Amino acid sequence: MSRASLDEVFRTARARARALWGLVVRQVTLFLVTIEHTWRRSLQVRVVTLTLVVSSLLVAVFAYVVAYRSSTILLDRAKQSVDAQLDSGQAFAREQLIVFGKPYEPNVRGTLQDIVSNLAGGDSQDPSSGLVVVRADNVNEITAVQSRPGDISGVLGGDITRVVRDGGRATAIRSGNLGAGQVKYLVKGTPVSTKFGQVELYYIEPLTTQDSAATQINATVLATGATLVLLLGLLSALVTRLVVRPVRVAARTAQRLSAGLLDQRMVVSGEDDLALLAASFNQMAANLQRQIVRLEDMSRLQRRFTSDVSHELRTPLTTVRMAADLIFAERERFPADVSRTAEILQTELDRFESLLTDLLEISRYDAGFAMLDAEPTDLVPIVHRAVEPLRALAERCGVELRVDVPDSPVIVEADPRRVERILRNLVGNAVEHAEGRPVVVRLVSDGVAAAVAVRDHGLGLKPGEEKLVFNRFWRADPSRARQTGGTGLGLSISLEDARLHGGWLEAWGAPGQGAQFRLTLPVRAGDRLAGSPVRLVPEDADVPAVAAPPQPRAITQAPAEVAP
């Protein structure tokens, strides 16, 4: 195989390894995200998990204490038993050896054999039984005697024999193999005084029975603890379910209520706290339903009253308008005071007619009957059409009207009548509050959104008034004389017109720095705005620096349906 082929094989293998590693990482990440999501969203999972963790820790501590105490008790009992045997064996060996004055007497060896056999019992040859050893390291004529053969040097150890040889009693636990496999032994030794010197007596007792009993106790405790933990987890899951289920039902019922399904209620069963919660919830829902229905009825009556009054006033207004027009046309033939009255009557009738028109428009929005007649529209001529009729008013107020629009068309899918009405209201308000200073109308588009900003340099707005200006009949200064005879509904209608387009109508103002109103419309009808090409806070405003507005982008969505 050539080097190029080997390189290709290695590259393929590395690519497959990277792909496999990426798949593993994604699966692990997905698993962790799922666990984290379940932990955050499920109260039952958190309660059961915490119960299992805490109960497992408690059971583990309990099992450790029980196992430790069991092993200690069994070992203590084994020590007490061997101590008793060692005491009796020491006395018996002393009685048997006290008759000998010299270690080399002929019966000494046989007596030692009898002592070991007697102390070891009838099962001395059983590898699993205890072992008795008699030694005399200080007497050269006597060799060690043990109840059965085997190498005990590893179990006995020099530290134990040293203590016993020096006249003390020694105890130790050793592991070794004395014919029954690797076993743990309890080793005890004591000196036995005779006329010819000191003899050492050792008991080597296997702890097999104690270890087996301790193992069984540990297994029983662990099995019982694990069963208890599982039962606690199951119990906590059942109890948590009893509590969480009504809460979930209450949450779903509340969501349905918030969605407008006011007839939703919880099922009340029993007389406990959860039943009391369900009954209280149902009572609250019933009260809310009654209040909402009452408010809806009042709102419906109010809208109907406004619409009916507006319609009913049209007929007498038309009659009065005809008479007023006739008087106004002939006002030159009347005395000066009557002529002035005719002019005032004409002006107030115009204002009254505008008020009725605005009330009808507001009633359409309140009833959900407003319709958007969107079509591709050039905003440049609309801006001029909204500004030109107000130039006479601006001249009377000593205000310079400046219009800054692009040379090329700005095409937007919008209702031209509503957009022109919005701009006419904004420019008229700006001229009213300009205090003789210039008013600038600027149109900017970036292909995604188009914005018209109307800037004045009058008294401005106080903090918080940038939201109040769109309220119905709200005026910043009620004592201020108006030049245009507005109805107080213009900005409210303009805000509804902007929302109907899926656009924004916003206000900014500061005391002594004037105000700026910004209308932002999506270029395509149905797009959702994410930004505006014009800053809401003017660049010439003396305010702390703010972050640049986000670049606008449109998120396509289906246009909202409007009630017919």
Side-chain angles (χ1 to χ4, degrees):
M1 183 178 292
S2 64
R3 183 179 181 84
S5 300
L6 289 175
D7 292 341
E8 182 65 25
V9 170
F10 288 149
R11 281 196 298 270
T12 304
R14 285 195 297 269
R16 290 179 177 177
R18 285 194 297 268
L20 180 61
W21 175 252
L23 179 61
V24 171
V25 170
R26 286 194 297 272
Q27 293 297 326
V28 171
T29 304
L30 180 61
F31 177 72
L32 295 177
V33 169
T34 303
I35 292 178
E36 192 265 343
H37 180 74
T38 304
W39 176 266
R40 287 190 297 105
R41 296 293 300 272
S42 177
L43 176 63
Q44 186 175 11
V45 170
R46 292 201 298 270
V47 172
V48 173
T49 302
L50 292 177
T51 302
L52 290 176
V53 171
V54 174
S55 59
S56 298
L57 292 176
L58 293 177
V59 168
V61 173
F62 174 75
Y64 174 78
V65 172
V66 170
Y68 176 77
R69 289 296 301 161
S70 301
S71 300
T72 303
I73 291 173
L74 292 173
L75 183 59
D76 289 342
R77 289 181 178 178
K79 288 180 180 180
Q80 292 173 3
S81 176
V82 175
D83 281 338
Q85 295 179 16
L86 192 63
D87 291 338
S88 62
Q90 183 183 27
F92 179 76
R94 185 181 295 112
E95 290 176 358
Q96 297 297 320
L97 296 175
I98 196 67
V99 298
F100 298 102
K102 300 296 182 181
Y104 45 80
E105 292 184 15
N107 291 332
V108 171
R109 178 72 181 178
T111 302
L112 292 177
Q113 291 283 359
D114 293 340
I115 292 173
V116 169
S117 298
N118 219 313
L119 296 180
D123 56 351
S124 59
Q125 301 303 315
D126 186 1
S128 61
S129 63
L131 188 108
V132 179
V133 180
V134 176
R135 300 176 56 169
D137 291 344
N138 294 330
V139 181
N140 296 327
E141 291 81 359
I142 298 178
T143 58
V145 180
Q146 55 191 58
S147 59
R148 70 170 183 270
D151 183 12
I152 63 172
S153 59
V155 175
L156 202 58
D159 53 345
I160 298 177
T161 58
R162 190 181 309 111
V163 173
V164 176
R165 190 167 53 243
D166 293 340
R169 176 171 287 193
T171 302
I173 296 178
R174 293 282 195 274
S175 294
N177 188 355
L178 299 182
Q182 194 71 17
V183 179
K184 188 164 61 175
Y185 294 93
L186 173 62
V187 181
K188 279 185 172 290
T190 185
V192 179
S193 300
T194 64
K195 294 179 179 179
F196 55 82
Q198 178 177 286
V199 178
E200 304 161 17
L201 175 63
Y202 296 96
Y203 273 80
I204 303 176
E205 188 71 21
L207 298 176
T208 308
T209 303
Q210 290 78 8
D211 288 344
S212 177
T215 301
Q216 292 178 2
I217 292 174
N218 294 342
T220 303
V221 170
L222 289 177
T224 305
T227 304
L228 180 61
V229 169
L230 292 177
L231 290 177
L232 286 175
L234 180 61
L235 180 62
S236 64
L238 293 177
V239 173
T240 309
R241 179 179 176 82
L242 291 176
V243 177
V244 171
R245 185 177 180 182
V247 175
R248 289 176 178 171
V249 172
R252 287 195 295 268
T253 306
Q255 290 175 352
R256 295 190 184 103
L257 287 173
S258 64
L261 303 176
L262 302 180
D263 58 342
Q264 295 295 310
R265 298 292 184 270
M266 293 181 61
V267 178
V268 180
S269 58
E271 299 179 357
D272 55 7
D273 295 335
L274 294 176
L276 179 60
L277 172 64
S280 302
F281 185 91
N282 290 341
Q283 184 178 2
M284 178 194 68
N287 292 335
L288 286 176
Q289 183 179 14
R290 285 195 297 268
Q291 293 293 333
I292 292 174
V293 170
R294 188 171 66 86
L295 292 175
E296 287 180 347
D297 291 340
M298 292 177 59
S299 178
R300 190 180 303 109
L301 289 174
Q302 181 182 7
R303 292 196 302 267
R304 183 176 178 181
F305 174 77
T306 303
S307 179
D308 290 347
V309 168
S310 301
H311 280 288
E312 292 298 328
L313 288 178
R314 282 289 181 181
T315 301
L317 177 61
T318 303
T319 304
V320 174
R321 164 66 71 181
M322 292 173 60
D325 289 342
L326 181 60
I327 295 174
F328 184 77
E330 300 293 334
R331 67 183 183 280
E332 300 294 339
R333 300 168 52 186
F334 299 135
D337 53 348
V338 178
S339 176
R340 177 58 181 161
T341 303
E343 294 176 356
I344 295 175
L345 178 61
Q346 186 75 8
T347 302
E348 292 304 319
L349 283 174
D350 291 340
R351 186 168 181 268
F352 190 26
E353 191 172 8
S354 298
L355 178 59
L356 286 180
T357 303
D358 291 345
L359 285 174
L360 282 173
E361 191 69 23
I362 284 292
S363 65
R364 291 192 189 98
Y365 278 114
D366 290 341
F369 293 158
M371 296 290 293
L372 181 66
D373 187 13
E375 60 183 33
T377 304
D378 186 3
L379 293 184
V380 174
I382 291 181
V383 171
H384 287 297
R385 287 203 303 268
V387 171
E388 291 304 323
L390 296 170
R391 288 197 179 274
L393 173 63
E395 291 178 0
R396 291 199 306 269
C397 297
V399 175
E400 179 185 359
L401 269 176
R402 302 175 186 172
V403 179
D404 181 9
V405 296
D407 296 332
S408 58
V410 177
I411 306 300
V412 173
E413 293 182 6
D415 188 336
R417 179 181 64 85
R418 297 182 184 275
V419 174
E420 184 177 347
R421 180 167 60 189
I422 296 173
L423 298 180
R424 188 166 59 248
N425 283 325
L426 297 182
V427 177
N429 283 334
V431 172
E432 280 280 337
H433 299 86
E435 297 294 327
R437 299 184 181 92
V439 172
V440 180
V441 182
R442 186 159 63 102
L443 170 62
V444 180
S445 176
D446 60 1
V448 176
V452 180
V454 180
R455 173 80 162 103
D456 68 75
H457 300 79
L459 295 178
L461 298 174
K462 298 177 183 178
E465 291 184 346
E466 64 275 1
K467 300 296 183 183
L468 298 176
V469 294
F470 298 106
N471 292 347
R472 299 175 185 182
F473 302 108
W474 185 88
R475 294 177 63 181
D477 185 5
S479 63
R480 182 184 179 88
R482 296 185 59 90
Q483 300 292 329
T484 60
T487 63
L489 297 173
L491 289 180
S492 300
I493 296 175
S494 299
L495 180 62
E496 297 295 341
D497 284 337
R499 289 174 177 172
L500 192 61
H501 283 84
W504 302 337
L505 182 57
E506 302 159 288
W508 169 89
Q513 299 188 53
Q516 176 164 290
F517 286 78
R518 180 183 69 180
L519 170 65
T520 307
L521 300 175
V523 171
R524 292 189 305 172
D527 286 355
R528 186 167 57 196
L529 292 175
S532 177
V534 176
R535 289 181 48 177
L536 180 60
V537 181
E539 297 179 358
D540 59 350
D542 185 15
V543 295
V546 295
Q551 292 298 323
R553 59 185 180 87
I555 304 173
T556 302
Q557 63 176 7
E561 294 184 0
V562 182

PDB file of all heavy atoms in Angstrom, residues 478-501:
ATOM      1  N   PRO A 478     -53.161  71.500  30.927  1.00  0.00           N
ATOM      2  CA  PRO A 478     -54.574  71.777  30.625  1.00  0.00           C
ATOM      3  C   PRO A 478     -54.881  73.257  30.476  1.00  0.00           C
ATOM      4  O   PRO A 478     -55.851  73.629  29.803  1.00  0.00           O
ATOM      5  CB  PRO A 478     -55.309  71.181  31.833  1.00  0.00           C
ATOM      6  CG  PRO A 478     -54.354  70.208  32.439  1.00  0.00           C
ATOM      7  CD  PRO A 478     -52.996  70.763  32.169  1.00  0.00           C
ATOM      8  N   SER A 479     -54.096  74.132  31.080  1.00  0.00           N
ATOM      9  CA  SER A 479     -54.367  75.568  30.997  1.00  0.00           C
ATOM     10  C   SER A 479     -53.856  76.194  29.718  1.00  0.00           C
ATOM     11  O   SER A 479     -54.084  77.367  29.447  1.00  0.00           O
ATOM     12  CB  SER A 479     -53.725  76.283  32.197  1.00  0.00           C
ATOM     13  OG  SER A 479     -52.313  76.137  32.159  1.00  0.00           O
ATOM     14  N   ARG A 480     -53.175  75.408  28.921  1.00  0.00           N
ATOM     15  CA  ARG A 480     -52.553  75.939  27.703  1.00  0.00           C
ATOM     16  C   ARG A 480     -53.598  76.129  26.611  1.00  0.00           C
ATOM     17  O   ARG A 480     -54.418  75.249  26.345  1.00  0.00           O
ATOM     18  CB  ARG A 480     -51.470  74.956  27.237  1.00  0.00           C
ATOM     19  CG  ARG A 480     -50.698  75.405  26.006  1.00  0.00           C
ATOM     20  CD  ARG A 480     -49.739  74.292  25.601  1.00  0.00           C
ATOM     21  NE  ARG A 480     -49.002  74.652  24.418  1.00  0.00           N
ATOM     22  CZ  ARG A 480     -47.864  75.323  24.419  1.00  0.00           C
ATOM     23  NH1 ARG A 480     -47.357  75.725  25.561  1.00  0.00           N
ATOM     24  NH2 ARG A 480     -47.241  75.628  23.304  1.00  0.00           N
ATOM     25  N   ALA A 481     -53.611  77.263  25.977  1.00  0.00           N
ATOM     26  CA  ALA A 481     -54.547  77.539  24.876  1.00  0.00           C
ATOM     27  C   ALA A 481     -54.110  76.818  23.628  1.00  0.00           C
ATOM     28  O   ALA A 481     -52.946  76.859  23.244  1.00  0.00           O
ATOM     29  CB  ALA A 481     -54.616  79.050  24.611  1.00  0.00           C
ATOM     30  N   ARG A 482     -55.050  76.107  22.969  1.00  0.00           N
ATOM     31  CA  ARG A 482     -54.742  75.354  21.764  1.00  0.00           C
ATOM     32  C   ARG A 482     -55.008  76.190  20.534  1.00  0.00           C
ATOM     33  O   ARG A 482     -55.912  77.011  20.495  1.00  0.00           O
ATOM     34  CB  ARG A 482     -55.583  74.074  21.695  1.00  0.00           C
ATOM     35  CG  ARG A 482     -55.282  73.094  22.823  1.00  0.00           C
ATOM     36  CD  ARG A 482     -56.067  71.813  22.621  1.00  0.00           C
ATOM     37  NE  ARG A 482     -55.732  71.191  21.330  1.00  0.00           N
ATOM     38  CZ  ARG A 482     -54.765  70.322  21.160  1.00  0.00           C
ATOM     39  NH1 ARG A 482     -54.013  69.973  22.161  1.00  0.00           N
ATOM     40  NH2 ARG A 482     -54.538  69.807  19.970  1.00  0.00           N
ATOM     41  N   GLN A 483     -54.195  75.962  19.516  1.00  0.00           N
ATOM     42  CA  GLN A 483     -54.328  76.691  18.257  1.00  0.00           C
ATOM     43  C   GLN A 483     -55.148  75.922  17.231  1.00  0.00           C
ATOM     44  O   GLN A 483     -55.768  76.506  16.353  1.00  0.00           O
ATOM     45  CB  GLN A 483     -52.930  76.972  17.674  1.00  0.00           C
ATOM     46  CG  GLN A 483     -52.030  77.806  18.583  1.00  0.00           C
ATOM     47  CD  GLN A 483     -52.512  79.226  18.731  1.00  0.00           C
ATOM     48  OE1 GLN A 483     -53.127  79.774  17.798  1.00  0.00           O
ATOM     49  NE2 GLN A 483     -52.265  79.858  19.865  1.00  0.00           N
ATOM     50  N   THR A 484     -55.144  74.587  17.364  1.00  0.00           N
ATOM     51  CA  THR A 484     -55.777  73.769  16.331  1.00  0.00           C
ATOM     52  C   THR A 484     -57.141  73.255  16.736  1.00  0.00           C
ATOM     53  O   THR A 484     -57.833  72.649  15.929  1.00  0.00           O
ATOM     54  CB  THR A 484     -54.875  72.560  15.992  1.00  0.00           C
ATOM     55  OG1 THR A 484     -54.699  71.804  17.197  1.00  0.00           O
ATOM     56  CG2 THR A 484     -53.550  73.006  15.466  1.00  0.00           C
ATOM     57  N   GLY A 485     -57.547  73.466  17.991  1.00  0.00           N
ATOM     58  CA  GLY A 485     -58.858  72.966  18.412  1.00  0.00           C
ATOM     59  C   GLY A 485     -58.952  71.469  18.375  1.00  0.00           C
ATOM     60  O   GLY A 485     -59.947  70.921  17.922  1.00  0.00           O
ATOM     61  N   GLY A 486     -57.912  70.753  18.833  1.00  0.00           N
ATOM     62  CA  GLY A 486     -57.900  69.302  18.800  1.00  0.00           C
ATOM     63  C   GLY A 486     -58.897  68.703  19.766  1.00  0.00           C
ATOM     64  O   GLY A 486     -59.424  69.359  20.670  1.00  0.00           O
ATOM     65  N   THR A 487     -59.173  67.415  19.570  1.00  0.00           N
ATOM     66  CA  THR A 487     -60.171  66.713  20.384  1.00  0.00           C
ATOM     67  C   THR A 487     -59.559  65.994  21.577  1.00  0.00           C
ATOM     68  O   THR A 487     -60.301  65.526  22.439  1.00  0.00           O
ATOM     69  CB  THR A 487     -60.886  65.676  19.504  1.00  0.00           C
ATOM     70  OG1 THR A 487     -59.948  64.702  19.058  1.00  0.00           O
ATOM     71  CG2 THR A 487     -61.557  66.343  18.329  1.00  0.00           C
ATOM     72  N   GLY A 488     -58.249  65.846  21.630  1.00  0.00           N
ATOM     73  CA  GLY A 488     -57.615  65.076  22.703  1.00  0.00           C
ATOM     74  C   GLY A 488     -57.549  63.595  22.418  1.00  0.00           C
ATOM     75  O   GLY A 488     -57.112  62.815  23.268  1.00  0.00           O
ATOM     76  N   LEU A 489     -57.978  63.166  21.244  1.00  0.00           N
ATOM     77  CA  LEU A 489     -57.948  61.752  20.864  1.00  0.00           C
ATOM     78  C   LEU A 489     -56.956  61.464  19.746  1.00  0.00           C
ATOM     79  O   LEU A 489     -56.825  60.304  19.337  1.00  0.00           O
ATOM     80  CB  LEU A 489     -59.344  61.297  20.419  1.00  0.00           C
ATOM     81  CG  LEU A 489     -60.446  61.343  21.479  1.00  0.00           C
ATOM     82  CD1 LEU A 489     -61.795  61.023  20.836  1.00  0.00           C
ATOM     83  CD2 LEU A 489     -60.151  60.368  22.604  1.00  0.00           C
ATOM     84  N   GLY A 490     -56.293  62.491  19.242  1.00  0.00           N
ATOM     85  CA  GLY A 490     -55.435  62.306  18.075  1.00  0.00           C
ATOM     86  C   GLY A 490     -54.321  61.308  18.295  1.00  0.00           C
ATOM     87  O   GLY A 490     -54.125  60.377  17.492  1.00  0.00           O
ATOM     88  N   LEU A 491     -53.555  61.457  19.407  1.00  0.00           N
ATOM     89  CA  LEU A 491     -52.438  60.545  19.640  1.00  0.00           C
ATOM     90  C   LEU A 491     -52.923  59.140  19.987  1.00  0.00           C
ATOM     91  O   LEU A 491     -52.258  58.153  19.654  1.00  0.00           O
ATOM     92  CB  LEU A 491     -51.546  61.092  20.754  1.00  0.00           C
ATOM     93  CG  LEU A 491     -50.729  62.334  20.392  1.00  0.00           C
ATOM     94  CD1 LEU A 491     -49.896  62.793  21.567  1.00  0.00           C
ATOM     95  CD2 LEU A 491     -49.824  62.060  19.187  1.00  0.00           C
ATOM     96  N   SER A 492     -54.063  59.040  20.659  1.00  0.00           N
ATOM     97  CA  SER A 492     -54.602  57.707  20.947  1.00  0.00           C
ATOM     98  C   SER A 492     -54.957  56.981  19.658  1.00  0.00           C
ATOM     99  O   SER A 492     -54.637  55.796  19.487  1.00  0.00           O
ATOM    100  CB  SER A 492     -55.850  57.830  21.831  1.00  0.00           C
ATOM    101  OG  SER A 492     -55.542  58.469  23.052  1.00  0.00           O
ATOM    102  N   ILE A 493     -55.604  57.687  18.739  1.00  0.00           N
ATOM    103  CA  ILE A 493     -55.935  57.078  17.441  1.00  0.00           C
ATOM    104  C   ILE A 493     -54.668  56.777  16.655  1.00  0.00           C
ATOM    105  O   ILE A 493     -54.554  55.733  15.994  1.00  0.00           O
ATOM    106  CB  ILE A 493     -56.879  58.002  16.652  1.00  0.00           C
ATOM    107  CG1 ILE A 493     -58.217  58.153  17.400  1.00  0.00           C
ATOM    108  CG2 ILE A 493     -57.116  57.477  15.245  1.00  0.00           C
ATOM    109  CD1 ILE A 493     -59.164  59.140  16.767  1.00  0.00           C
ATOM    110  N   SER A 494     -53.690  57.656  16.729  1.00  0.00           N
ATOM    111  CA  SER A 494     -52.425  57.422  16.015  1.00  0.00           C
ATOM    112  C   SER A 494     -51.729  56.174  16.538  1.00  0.00           C
ATOM    113  O   SER A 494     -51.169  55.378  15.762  1.00  0.00           O
ATOM    114  CB  SER A 494     -51.517  58.640  16.173  1.00  0.00           C
ATOM    115  OG  SER A 494     -52.121  59.787  15.622  1.00  0.00           O
ATOM    116  N   LEU A 495     -51.754  55.987  17.869  1.00  0.00           N
ATOM    117  CA  LEU A 495     -51.135  54.786  18.436  1.00  0.00           C
ATOM    118  C   LEU A 495     -51.838  53.530  17.936  1.00  0.00           C
ATOM    119  O   LEU A 495     -51.174  52.536  17.578  1.00  0.00           O
ATOM    120  CB  LEU A 495     -51.186  54.862  19.965  1.00  0.00           C
ATOM    121  CG  LEU A 495     -50.570  53.679  20.712  1.00  0.00           C
ATOM    122  CD1 LEU A 495     -49.086  53.549  20.404  1.00  0.00           C
ATOM    123  CD2 LEU A 495     -50.786  53.813  22.222  1.00  0.00           C
ATOM    124  N   GLU A 496     -53.166  53.537  17.891  1.00  0.00           N
ATOM    125  CA  GLU A 496     -53.904  52.371  17.389  1.00  0.00           C
ATOM    126  C   GLU A 496     -53.631  52.147  15.906  1.00  0.00           C
ATOM    127  O   GLU A 496     -53.519  50.994  15.456  1.00  0.00           O
ATOM    128  CB  GLU A 496     -55.403  52.571  17.625  1.00  0.00           C
ATOM    129  CG  GLU A 496     -55.815  52.663  19.084  1.00  0.00           C
ATOM    130  CD  GLU A 496     -55.563  51.380  19.846  1.00  0.00           C
ATOM    131  OE1 GLU A 496     -55.418  50.326  19.188  1.00  0.00           O
ATOM    132  OE2 GLU A 496     -55.507  51.418  21.080  1.00  0.00           O
ATOM    133  N   ASP A 497     -53.505  53.237  15.130  1.00  0.00           N
ATOM    134  CA  ASP A 497     -53.169  53.090  13.707  1.00  0.00           C
ATOM    135  C   ASP A 497     -51.798  52.435  13.532  1.00  0.00           C
ATOM    136  O   ASP A 497     -51.613  51.567  12.665  1.00  0.00           O
ATOM    137  CB  ASP A 497     -53.189  54.458  13.020  1.00  0.00           C
ATOM    138  CG  ASP A 497     -54.610  54.955  12.770  1.00  0.00           C
ATOM    139  OD1 ASP A 497     -55.523  54.114  12.708  1.00  0.00           O
ATOM    140  OD2 ASP A 497     -54.798  56.180  12.636  1.00  0.00           O
ATOM    141  N   ALA A 498     -50.833  52.857  14.361  1.00  0.00           N
ATOM    142  CA  ALA A 498     -49.493  52.273  14.261  1.00  0.00           C
ATOM    143  C   ALA A 498     -49.516  50.798  14.626  1.00  0.00           C
ATOM    144  O   ALA A 498     -48.878  49.962  13.968  1.00  0.00           O
ATOM    145  CB  ALA A 498     -48.529  53.040  15.167  1.00  0.00           C
ATOM    146  N   ARG A 499     -50.237  50.448  15.681  1.00  0.00           N
ATOM    147  CA  ARG A 499     -50.320  49.040  16.078  1.00  0.00           C
ATOM    148  C   ARG A 499     -51.016  48.211  15.014  1.00  0.00           C
ATOM    149  O   ARG A 499     -50.665  47.040  14.802  1.00  0.00           O
ATOM    150  CB  ARG A 499     -51.071  48.930  17.398  1.00  0.00           C
ATOM    151  CG  ARG A 499     -50.288  49.446  18.599  1.00  0.00           C
ATOM    152  CD  ARG A 499     -51.149  49.432  19.856  1.00  0.00           C
ATOM    153  NE  ARG A 499     -50.399  49.861  21.028  1.00  0.00           N
ATOM    154  CZ  ARG A 499     -50.946  50.085  22.226  1.00  0.00           C
ATOM    155  NH1 ARG A 499     -52.260  49.922  22.385  1.00  0.00           N
ATOM    156  NH2 ARG A 499     -50.203  50.472  23.245  1.00  0.00           N
ATOM    157  N   LEU A 500     -52.022  48.785  14.355  1.00  0.00           N
ATOM    158  CA  LEU A 500     -52.717  48.063  13.301  1.00  0.00           C
ATOM    159  C   LEU A 500     -51.770  47.715  12.155  1.00  0.00           C
ATOM    160  O   LEU A 500     -51.942  46.689  11.488  1.00  0.00           O
ATOM    161  CB  LEU A 500     -53.888  48.908  12.795  1.00  0.00           C
ATOM    162  CG  LEU A 500     -54.909  48.204  11.891  1.00  0.00           C
ATOM    163  CD1 LEU A 500     -55.570  47.039  12.630  1.00  0.00           C
ATOM    164  CD2 LEU A 500     -55.956  49.196  11.411  1.00  0.00           C
ATOM    165  N   HIS A 501     -50.760  48.550  11.935  1.00  0.00           N
ATOM    166  CA  HIS A 501     -49.750  48.276  10.906  1.00  0.00           C
ATOM    167  C   HIS A 501     -48.675  47.305  11.397  1.00  0.00           C
ATOM    168  O   HIS A 501     -47.811  46.893  10.607  1.00  0.00           O
ATOM    169  CB  HIS A 501     -49.059  49.577  10.472  1.00  0.00           C
ATOM    170  CG  HIS A 501     -49.896  50.417   9.555  1.00  0.00           C
ATOM    171  ND1 HIS A 501     -50.847  51.294  10.002  1.00  0.00           N
ATOM    172  CD2 HIS A 501     -49.924  50.489   8.192  1.00  0.00           C
ATOM    173  CE1 HIS A 501     -51.423  51.893   8.986  1.00  0.00           C
ATOM    174  NE2 HIS A 501     -50.885  51.425   7.864  1.00  0.00           N
TER     175      HIS A 501
END
